[in-house]
C-alpha cells in the first residue's frame, strides 16, 4: 500500500514510522513548499502533487488547515480519508461548532462574529468573560483574545477587525463563554470504513502558554470513558469518519464539554507509542488502509512531556527506567515542538516519580507543581 500524507511535519514522520511494519509506504506532501518528501529520510521524490495523488492508494492529512487547492484534487481522487468535509470541520470553528450542535454534543455557548455589531451583541448576550477565537488557522492557543473586562472588549476589537478585514472574506471569529473546567482531557480513537470504533483511554492534558506540555493516560474511569466514547461515536458517525480522530474536552465536575476536535493523530496521543500495543499512528494507518483496528488498551501507566524549543536534553533522561525519547528532526526555534519524552511505569506512583525526575532534569518543560497538575 502507498499512502500520501498531506503535510510533512512530525505527525507525518511518526505515521511513517508506524506504517513501515505494516508494509505501508508513505510519501508526504509539504504544502508550504509544494513538494513531495519522505517524512523520515527527507528525500525528495520530484513528483507533483497530482502525480502523487494518482499513484497512491490512500490519501490522509496530518493537519486541518489545508488549502482548498490541495483538498479538492485529493477529495476528487476518492482516496481521501478522512473526508474533506471532516478535515474542513477541524479547520474552521464555524463548521466545527455546527457539527457539534448537529451531533447533539455539549459545547461552550458561542456566537459567530463578522462585524462590530455582532461583536457587541455577542458580549451583551453571552456576558464576560469570553474567549474569542479566529474561525480558521488557530492552533496552540494562537489567534485568541480573552475578554475579562470592558477595557479588554475595547482593545481587542480593532485587532479582531484587522484580522477579519485582512482575510478577504475568509475569516470570522467565534466568541465562546469561558468554561470553568476542573481539567482538560482528550479522547483519541479511530473509526474504520466498516464503522468499527476503538478509543484509547482518556488522557489528561496540561498546557503551558497555550501549548500542550504534559499528557497523562488516565487510570480507568469507566463512567467518564463511557461518556467520552458516546460523544466520540456521535461525532465520528456524523462525519462518516475514517481514521484517527481526536476530541478535546473540558471536564466540569464529571460532565464533559467538547472544546474542539482534530481530524488527525494528536499531540495528546503520543503516549500511545509506548502505552499501548497499537499506537495512535498504527491505529490511523490500519483505519485508513481498511485493516482491522488494533489493541488500544493501556499496557501500563504512561505519560508524555513535550520538548519545546530545545534540541538537546540532559543525557540522564535517556538512562531513566521506562523513558523513551522521540525527536522530530526539526531545526531549533523558540517554543517549537521539537520532540517528546514518553514515560511508562508499573504504577501511577512510580509514573509520577519518574515525571518528577524528568521535570527536574528538564525544567524547560515548565511543570511547576505536579501534585496540582495531575488529578488522576
Ligand atoms: P490546539 O493547539 O489544541 O489546536 P487551539 O489554538 O485550537 O489549540 P483551543 O484548544 O480552542 O485552541 O484553546 C486553547 C486553550 O485555551 C484550551 O486548551 C483551554 O485551556 C483554553 N480554552 C479554550 N476555550 C476555552 C473556553 N471556552 N473556556 C475556557 N478555556 C478555554
Ligand atoms: Mg485547535
Ligand atoms: Mg485545543
Amino acid at each position: 500500500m502507498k499512502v500520501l500524507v498531506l503535510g510533512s511535519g512530525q505527525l507525518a514522520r511518526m505515521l511513517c514510522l508506524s506504517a513501515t511494519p505494516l508494509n505501508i509506504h508513505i510519501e508526504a506532501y509539504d504544502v508550504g513548499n509544494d513538494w513531495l518528501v519522505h517524512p523520515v529520510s527527507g528525500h525528495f521524490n520530484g513528483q507533483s502533487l497530482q502525480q502523487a495523488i494518482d499513484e497512491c492508494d490512500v490519501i490522509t492529512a496530518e493537519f486541518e488547515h489545508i488549502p482548498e487547492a490541495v483538498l479538492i484534487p485529493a477529495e476528487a481522487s476518492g482516496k481521501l480519508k478522512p473526508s474533506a468535509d471532516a478535515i474542513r470541520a477541524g479547520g474552521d470553528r464555524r463548521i466545527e461548532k455546527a457539527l457539534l450542535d448537529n451531533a447533539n454534543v455539549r459545547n461552550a455557548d458561542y456566537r459567530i462574529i463578522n462585524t462590530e455589531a455582532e461583536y457587541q451583541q455577542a458580549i451583551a448576550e453571552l456576558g464576560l468573560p469570553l474567549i474569542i477565537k479566529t474561525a480558521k488557522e488557530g492552533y496552540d492557543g494562537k489567534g485568541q483574545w480573552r475578554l475579562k473586562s470592558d477595557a479588554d472588549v475595547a482593545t481587542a476589537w480593532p485587532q479582531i477587525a484587522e484580522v477579519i478585514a485582512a482575510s478577504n472574506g475568509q475569516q470570522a471569529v467565534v466568541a465562546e463563554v469561558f468554561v470553568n473546567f476542573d481539567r482538560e482531557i482528550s479522547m483519541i480513537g479511530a473509526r474504520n470504513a466498516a464503522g468499527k470504533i476503538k478509543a484509547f483511554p482518556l488522557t489528561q492534558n496540561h498546557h503551558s502558554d497555550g501549548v500542550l506540555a504534559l499528557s497523562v493516560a488516565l487510570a480507568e474511569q469507566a463512567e467518564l470513558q463511557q461518556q467520552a466514547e458516546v460523544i466520540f461515536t456521535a461525532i465520528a458517525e456524523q462525519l462518516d469518519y475514517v481514521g484517527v480522530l481526536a476530541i478535546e474536552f473540558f471536564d466540569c465536575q464529571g460532565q464533559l464539554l467538547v472544546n474542539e476536535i482534530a481530524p488527525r493523530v494528536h499531540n495528546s496521543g503520543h503516549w500511545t507509542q509506548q502505552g499501548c500495543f497499537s499506537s495512535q499512528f498504527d491505529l490511523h494507518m490500519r483505519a485508513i488502509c481498511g485493516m482491522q483496528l488494533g489493541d488500544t488498551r493501556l499496557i501500563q501507566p504512561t505519560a508524555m512531556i513535550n520538548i519545546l524549543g530545545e534540541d538537546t536534553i540532559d543525557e540522564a533522561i535517556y538512562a531513566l527506567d521506562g523513558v523513551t525519547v522521540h525527536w522530530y528532526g526539526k531545526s531549533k526555534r523558540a517554543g517549537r515542538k521539537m520532540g517528546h519524552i514518553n514515560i511508562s511505569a508499573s504504577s501511577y506512583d512510580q509514573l509520577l516519580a519518574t515525571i518528577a525526575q524528568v521535570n527536574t532534569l528538564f525544567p524547560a518543560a515548565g511543570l511547576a507543581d505536579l501534585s496540582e497538575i495531575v488529578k488522576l
Side-chain angles (χ1 to χ4, degrees), residues 25-71:
H25 181 83
I26 300 255
E27 290 290 336
Y29 177 65
D30 180 335
V31 175
N33 290 308
D34 185 28
W35 62 43
L36 269 295
V37 63
H38 187 267
V40 176
S41 71
H43 287 137
F44 297 105
N45 82 6
Q47 282 183 330
S48 69
L49 173 62
Q50 193 57 55
Q51 283 172 318
I53 287 173
D54 293 341
E55 270 193 18
C56 71
D57 301 296
V58 177
I59 306 172
T60 192
E62 63 136 32
F63 74 123
E64 52 276 27
H65 304 297
I66 297 176
E68 286 296 315
V70 175
L71 218 41

Side-chain angles (χ1 to χ4, degrees), residues 184 207 248 259-260 266:
E184 293 188 70
H207 298 82
E248 295 180 11
N259 172 28
E260 60 169 356
H266 194 258

Side-chain angles (χ1 to χ4, degrees), residues 93 133 140-141 144 146 176-177 179 184 248 259-260:
R93 295 189 200 275
K133 303 178 180 180
D140 288 345
Q144 294 191 3
R146 288 171 191 225
E176 266 181 35
V177 297
V179 178
E184 293 188 70
E248 295 180 11
N259 172 28
E260 60 169 356

